[in-house]
Amino acid sequence: IFIDAPTDIIKLTANDMELGIDTIIEGDIIQKGVIAIDAKIFSEIVRKLPDNEITIESDRNLQTMITCEKAKFSISAKSGEDFSYLPYIEKAESITLSQFTLKELIRQTIFSIADNDSNKLMTGELFEIDENILKVVSLDGHRKTELTKNYQTRKVVVPGKTLVEVSKILSGEADSTVCLSFTDNHVVFEFDNTVVVSRLIEGEYFRIDQMLSSDYETKVIIHKKELLDCIDRANLLIKNF
């Protein structure tokens, strides 16, 4: 994680060249500078610290002290000079929707994406914009939502990894918005003080409308909770084999 403390803001950046996240946090900057800390150990340390102010200090040898109340950690860091910043994305048209809506669209579809790379398209979700309708499609289903105005027709495939991470950090509040911008190669999510930039998956997504039949011989209506309870009980035997 790249920590950039210029003058009045503290910016944290993570970037693996496929997915990048920028977020700004408040804090007091005693002396400006930049540093890169191993993401895994940094996140584990912060997760274990008390809910109080954290002080991060680094010396000339990049030995970094992280202090919170009585807890102190000393770890080695890197200069951050060679860290890859998020790419600049020239945004043409963007769409805006509530964080609650996007979080729900992801939650209701993400379960059915593939978790392997045998077919890259199966690890992503189709975002299809048609006038004022946004349709999010995964292999086993789709969800739709209405937008506040009409937009240019567009189809892109967003990696499931990106959507999982975006869903984790969305507040999910109905009165908070998120802005989505698309280019030929990238998608950008902007909300609160956070920017997420991700590469898109190349290729034409499966024609889901042809795969999901709407013509059934039998349809039943079942109480949702009773059905889930039955599945949960039956699952006990499956787990034992």
Side-chain angles (χ1 to χ4, degrees):
I1 295 179
F2 179 61
I3 303 176
D4 186 3
T7 52
D8 55 349
I9 61 170
I10 303 172
K11 179 185 286 187
L12 274 65
T13 303
N15 185 14
D16 66 1
M17 309 310 291
E18 293 290 331
L19 171 64
I21 301 176
D22 257 355
T23 191
I24 296 172
I25 58 175
E26 296 180 353
D28 296 324
I29 300 173
I30 310 298
Q31 183 176 355
K32 64 181 181 179
V34 297
I35 195 171
I37 303 178
D38 180 89
K40 183 176 180 180
I41 191 168
F42 185 42
S43 61
E44 289 296 330
I45 288 173
V46 173
R47 192 174 289 116
K48 300 292 185 180
L49 290 176
D51 186 13
N52 209 334
E53 290 187 350
I54 300 172
T55 301
I56 302 175
E57 299 175 274
S58 180
D59 61 22
R60 292 182 178 179
N61 298 320
L62 300 177
Q63 195 65 24
T64 302
M65 182 72 72
I66 302 173
T67 309
C68 181
E69 294 183 2
K70 297 180 180 180
K72 292 184 179 181
F73 293 86
S74 180
I75 60 175
S76 297
K78 297 181 179 180
S79 68
E81 294 179 357
D82 298 326
F83 194 89
S84 298
Y85 288 87
L86 298 193
Y88 172 74
I89 305 297
E90 187 173 344
K91 294 166 278 190
E93 186 177 41
S94 303
I95 67 171
T96 302
L97 65 160
S98 76
Q99 291 193 32
F100 173 80
T101 299
L102 180 59
K103 196 177 182 78
E104 281 297 292
L105 288 171
I106 296 173
R107 184 185 67 82
Q108 295 174 13
T109 53
I110 199 69
F111 67 90
S112 62
I113 66 169
D115 57 0
N116 58 68
D117 294 338
S118 59
N119 188 328
K120 203 72 173 172
L121 287 171
M122 294 177 66
T123 65
E125 294 193 0
L126 174 69
F127 275 56
E128 180 178 352
I129 303 167
D130 187 7
E131 295 184 347
N132 68 329
I133 299 295
L134 168 64
K135 180 161 64 172
V136 178
V137 179
S138 58
L139 197 58
D140 284 349
H142 61 271
R143 296 292 184 271
K144 295 181 182 179
T145 188
E146 287 192 12
L147 303 172
T148 55
K149 64 178 185 179
N150 291 349
Y151 294 92
Q152 177 183 350
T153 300
R154 185 183 292 272
K155 291 183 180 181
V156 298
V157 182
V158 182
K161 171 187 172 182
T162 299
L163 297 175
V164 169
E165 296 304 322
V166 167
S167 180
K168 286 179 183 177
I169 53 181
L170 284 171
S171 68
E173 297 178 2
D175 55 353
S176 298
T177 59
V178 53
C179 177
L180 276 70
S181 305
F182 304 97
T183 69
D184 292 338
N185 300 311
H186 293 89
V187 57
V188 182
F189 300 82
E190 295 177 275
F191 52 95
D192 301 331
N193 291 321
T194 301
V195 177
V196 179
V197 178
S198 171
R199 287 186 178 274
L200 297 171
I201 298 176
E202 297 181 358
E204 183 178 354
Y205 200 76
F206 311 95
R207 296 183 179 180
I208 198 74
D209 292 335
Q210 297 179 6
M211 299 171 65
L212 298 176
S213 174
S214 58
D215 183 20
Y216 303 100
E217 294 183 0
T218 305
K219 292 184 180 181
V220 296
I221 298 176
I222 302 174
H223 189 277
K224 178 182 175 181
K225 187 177 185 307
E226 290 182 5
L227 175 61
L228 291 174
D229 288 344
C230 288
I231 295 173
D232 193 38
R233 287 192 291 269
N235 240 1
L236 292 173
L237 296 180
I238 296 175
K239 292 177 181 177
N240 290 329
F241 291 96

